[in-house]
Amino acid sequence: MQSISPEIIFRGNDAWEKSLPQIVNLSKSPLILGRNVSTNDIKNKIFRDLKNQDLNVNSANLQFDCCYEDILRVKNIILNNNNDAVIAAGGGKVLDSGKYIAEILNIPCITVPLSASTCAGWTALSNIYTKKGQFIKDVALRACPKVLVFDHQFIQTAPSRTLASGIADALAKWYESSLTSSTVDDGLVQQAIQISRVLRDQLLIDGGKAFKDKVKNNSSWRNTIEACGLTAGLVGGIGGEKCRTAAAHAIHNAITQIITPNKFLHGEIVGVGLLLQLRLEEMKNNNKLADQSIKQLLVLMKQLNLPTTISELGINVFDNQNLEKIADFTCRDKSEIHFLPFEISKRDIIEVISNFEQQKIKI
């Protein structure tokens, strides 16, 4: 079985208003799930609009990340209120939590991304973290969300940092899937890889312009947010599990194990992992184009104010055995690092990160 996309997608300006009749058909008593106080104005609007449709509406906020403690708490709220649908409105952690909770309760999930930081509003996948934000595992879900509402006016209110993060995460689709699945003899997988290539090219062309000017009549901004929030999800939907993540996400998952005072967004960490993946390709797979790819990515990443080293994520890899901890988690059993078409050891990870952080490898 393959879950390719949400059943219904509303996108563009006023997508939320256009979705209301469909939501009314699906639910009489939805729960709105959110997280950040910065998005309260939008969540209050969603609440009022649903009330005006004579729905019995409740709301709840995550206290942490997409973690088991929050999932259990919100699940019990839904059961106590007899809610019949989850409307997840927020970033990736909120969307992943909403999808997971809806699945275990067998009720519809409606995703309303409030930024373009992730394609989580599309996918049949939830990433589970600890309360402190440490990655545990990803969980494949039975289905994509019932409805995806990608309202440009909602997205426009998000900080520019979230868009930069989304661009880095979406770029990884090409660099990871083209490496892990290039020899897979499956037409849909190959088509997904080619979509990810077009996605990469579009982001390299439009990403910087979109970051600088997020007005609604800016076609670069519209194309970029939909590339991050929609097309990136489509790549995973068509390609399925064979369009796998690889080193960039494996290194992201390992970096989250190191607790830091400042929290970084998913794509910000993935972007650093992507640069390290390309260095691994150069070192272990004799990829002559990896250095050129890094230089090309760095131009865009600097425009987007994205971190380009682990130290810029607030982590000194040479303190507290951090380098060994990252290498251990990156190379653990069932890690995405093992989807690479060449073998990687802990020593390889330690070497490439050590050289990268000390700038022995010029960037």
Side-chain angles (χ1 to χ4, degrees):
M1 186 183 77
Q2 191 167 340
S3 297
I4 293 177
S5 74
E7 285 189 22
I8 302 171
I9 299 165
F10 295 90
R11 67 185 181 101
N13 296 325
D14 304 317
W16 167 249
E17 282 74 15
K18 294 172 184 174
S19 74
L20 286 172
Q22 184 64 39
I23 293 173
V24 171
N25 286 336
L26 274 177
S27 172
K28 300 306 175 192
S29 179
L31 177 125
I32 303 168
L33 180 64
R35 186 186 185 199
N36 278 334
V37 295
S38 61
T39 59
N40 277 347
D41 286 347
I42 294 176
K43 286 178 290 192
N44 288 338
K45 171 182 169 50
I46 291 172
F47 190 95
R48 289 193 306 269
D49 289 348
L50 295 173
K51 277 287 191 183
N52 289 337
Q53 298 291 323
D54 294 325
L55 299 185
N56 177 30
V57 190
N58 297 105
S59 64
N61 284 332
L62 297 181
Q63 293 178 354
F64 307 104
D65 282 323
C66 181
C67 64
Y68 287 120
E69 291 85 350
D70 262 342
I71 287 166
L72 177 60
R73 182 178 58 82
V74 175
K75 171 190 166 186
N76 288 333
I77 291 172
I78 292 172
L79 290 172
N80 289 337
N81 290 318
N82 293 316
N83 298 121
D84 58 6
V86 178
I87 300 176
K93 302 293 197 309
V94 172
L95 301 172
D96 277 0
S97 298
K99 291 183 295 183
Y100 189 91
I101 294 164
E103 166 139 326
I104 59 179
L105 292 175
N106 197 29
I107 59 177
C109 181
I110 297 147
T111 51
V112 187
L114 301 186
S115 77
S117 65
T118 173
C119 63
W122 182 292
T123 60
L125 190 74
S126 290
N127 291 314
I128 309 296
Y129 296 81
T130 69
K131 290 195 298 184
K132 295 181 178 180
Q134 298 160 298
F135 176 85
I136 298 176
K137 65 177 182 177
D138 54 49
V139 177
L141 306 174
R142 292 190 300 270
C144 295
K146 193 82 171 175
V147 178
L148 165 58
V149 183
F150 198 80
D151 192 300
H152 290 189
Q153 294 188 85
F154 289 175
I155 304 294
Q156 193 178 18
T157 66
S160 296
R161 179 185 176 189
T162 61
L163 179 58
S165 177
I167 291 170
D169 194 33
L171 282 168
K173 291 291 184 186
W174 159 256
Y175 292 99
E176 291 186 300
S177 66
S178 64
L179 187 62
T180 61
S181 305
S182 60
T183 61
V184 174
D185 186 20
D186 184 312
L188 279 181
V189 172
Q190 292 305 317
Q191 290 156 33
I193 293 171
Q194 292 309 311
I195 293 171
S196 73
R197 179 182 59 79
V198 175
L199 171 64
R200 176 206 62 183
D201 291 347
Q202 187 176 45
L203 291 174
L204 289 172
I205 293 168
D206 286 333
K209 300 174 191 173
F211 181 74
K212 290 177 183 176
D213 184 10
K214 58 179 182 179
V215 296
K216 286 181 287 186
N217 60 1
N218 177 357
S219 61
S220 292
W221 180 79
R222 292 196 306 270
N223 291 340
T224 299
I225 64 167
E226 293 202 333
C228 297
L230 304 181
T231 311
L234 177 64
V235 170
I238 293 176
E241 63 179 3
K242 293 176 183 175
C243 252
R244 295 183 184 278
T245 53
H249 276 81
I251 292 170
H252 160 277
N253 297 340
I255 289 173
T256 66
Q257 305 306 307
I258 312 298
I259 304 299
T260 59
N262 298 318
K263 295 203 71 172
F264 285 85
L265 301 177
H266 172 80
E268 292 174 328
I269 306 174
V270 169
V272 174
L274 189 49
L275 297 175
L276 289 166
Q277 174 181 305
L278 287 163
R279 285 305 183 206
L280 284 171
E281 290 183 58
E282 186 177 38
M283 181 176 81
K284 296 291 292 183
N285 207 34
N286 198 29
N287 181 352
K288 303 298 184 184
L289 296 177
D291 184 65
Q292 187 59 40
S293 294
I294 287 177
K295 289 175 180 174
Q296 185 181 42
L297 281 175
L298 280 173
V299 171
L300 178 59
M301 292 175 76
K302 294 295 185 184
Q303 290 176 351
L304 301 177
N305 297 326
L306 285 166
T308 56
T309 63
I310 297 177
S311 64
E312 290 177 13
L313 296 171
I315 298 171
N316 183 343
V317 297
F318 304 109
D319 280 350
N320 303 318
Q321 295 187 309
N322 286 336
L323 188 51
E324 288 75 14
K325 292 173 187 174
I326 292 171
D328 283 342
F329 199 88
T330 300
C331 295
R332 76 195 191 287
D333 290 345
K334 297 184 180 179
S335 167
E336 296 89 341
I337 199 77
H338 304 303
F339 298 148
L340 293 173
F342 48 88
E343 289 205 9
I344 292 291
S345 68
K346 293 177 187 176
R347 179 50 50 192
D348 295 327
I349 298 297
I350 289 172
E351 180 182 346
V352 76
I353 291 178
S354 178
N355 289 342
F356 195 84
E357 292 295 304
Q358 294 181 79
Q359 299 301 293
K360 290 180 181 177
I361 299 176
K362 299 297 181 184
I363 60 173

